[in-house]
Amino acid sequence: MTRTLPSADRSLVMGVLNVTADSFSDGGRFLQTDRAIEHGLQMHRIGADLIDVGGESTRPGAERVPADVEIARVVPVIEALSAEGIATSIDTMRASVARAAIEAGCAIINDVSGGLADPEMNPTAAELDVPYILMHWRAHSRDMQAFARYDDVVEDVLRELLTRVDEALAAGVRRERIIIDPGLGFAKTADHNWALLSRLDRFVGAGYPVLVAASRKSFLGSLLSVDGTPRPPGGREDATTAISALSAIGGAWCVRAHHVQASLDAVKVAAAWKAGRA
């Protein structure tokens, strides 16, 4: 079984589909299978290049769910979307969930732990021979912010992320299958996130496609706070769209978004800007 890495003449847009009860932005909205499938179809109709299906929340403080629950949430959704010819990625830290998702028709493994949470993930990704997103990660959601300490956040994150890449390669993952993600919000303060975005070129320059996943995250709420009160997730879309445009200008392979239309418009503008033509 093989899957090819999606590409276009612009940055791609990955639509977020949380089949969870407790995700920070839309927890519970798409926990029912039929609602999740319809939302995935809707994002595809709007123009999403990929639908990222996740059955376990990774918001700060989130508790883990059993693997069988995660599989039961995501597999029917992936099967239905795949039957419509829609490319999906599976947002999971478990090799067993990744395998079930790929067997259901999924195209990409998106592991926010970069292969650290499950020692079977790297060999499983190698065996399945699918595109594999490795994100920078230091600890599980319940206590990850205790690990938000760096000497130089850009260089430390890049070094640790490339170590994850080396481990995947050693397990047999092919180089052309690997995508990297600097892991905004995971064991990082708001200032860390902005530092990483400002040096996106360091990650693009590493030679792997780069995913930027900033959509509605808390560092945007902090930036947009009024009288010390952070902007709630639903009010962070304009800021997310700005990051999508800037990431596309900076060479990101893909941006991850809850609001597909806005980010799709943003990456199209960025592509025209860079090319000097429509």
Side-chain angles (χ1 to χ4, degrees):
M1 176 187 297
T2 60
R3 303 286 195 278
T4 58
L5 185 64
S7 63
D9 57 358
R10 55 167 173 77
S11 295
L12 303 183
V13 175
M14 173 187 283
V16 179
L17 181 50
N18 292 317
V19 193
T20 61
D22 56 344
S23 292
F24 78 93
S25 177
D26 53 8
R29 287 188 62 196
F30 308 112
L31 184 58
Q32 292 181 312
T33 300
D34 56 347
R35 293 189 68 184
I37 293 169
E38 177 51 38
H39 187 53
L41 292 170
Q42 174 66 14
M43 287 191 288
H44 175 70
R45 286 193 289 267
I46 290 169
D49 301 288
L50 292 163
I51 307 298
D52 192 42
V53 183
E56 178 180 54
S57 174
T58 52
R59 64 173 174 77
E63 294 294 330
R64 304 211 66 186
V65 301
D68 59 341
V69 171
E70 194 178 349
I71 290 171
R73 288 174 174 179
V74 300
V75 164
V77 177
I78 289 168
E79 287 178 335
L81 297 178
S82 297
E84 297 295 324
I86 299 171
T88 59
S89 52
I90 176 63
D91 179 359
T92 186
M93 293 183 282
R94 291 187 171 107
S96 61
V97 178
R99 182 180 296 278
I102 297 300
E103 290 174 351
C106 188
I108 296 175
I109 297 170
N110 180 13
D111 182 357
V112 300
S113 81
L116 286 175
D118 184 343
E120 294 303 312
M121 184 63 92
N122 282 340
T124 297
E127 176 193 341
L128 295 172
D129 194 27
V130 296
Y132 183 25
I133 301 170
L134 297 164
M135 194 194 81
H136 177 266
W137 183 89
R138 283 184 165 182
H140 285 288
S141 298
R142 62 181 175 271
D143 55 5
M144 64 182 175
Q145 290 311 109
F147 293 83
R149 296 186 293 272
Y150 303 89
D151 293 324
D152 179 323
V153 66
V154 174
E155 297 308 317
D156 291 353
V157 167
L158 181 59
R159 183 181 64 255
E160 292 173 25
L161 191 50
L162 292 179
T163 298
R164 304 288 82 76
V165 169
D166 288 342
E167 291 165 353
L169 293 171
V173 177
R174 290 196 285 156
R175 180 184 176 89
E176 60 267 28
R177 293 290 192 232
I178 293 175
I179 304 108
I180 60 173
D181 176 348
L184 300 174
F186 287 79
K188 298 172 185 76
T189 66
D191 284 347
H192 290 151
N193 295 324
W194 290 118
L196 292 168
L197 285 169
S198 74
R199 293 306 316 276
L200 184 62
D201 62 302
R202 290 288 289 127
F203 296 88
V204 173
Y208 297 93
V210 176
L211 172 67
V212 174
S215 185
R216 298 181 180 175
K217 289 188 173 179
S218 60
F219 75 101
L220 300 179
S222 298
L223 178 73
L224 304 173
S225 64
V226 176
D227 296 329
T229 301
R231 180 88 58 86
R236 302 170 190 169
E237 277 305 333
D238 289 346
T240 297
T241 303
I243 289 180
S244 292
L246 292 167
S247 297
I249 289 285
W253 162 74
C254 185
V255 296
R256 189 173 182 270
H258 293 81
H259 188 335
V260 167
Q261 184 68 73
S263 281
L264 186 60
D265 290 351
V267 299
K268 287 180 176 179
V269 167
W273 184 299
K274 290 175 71 174
R277 57 183 175 79

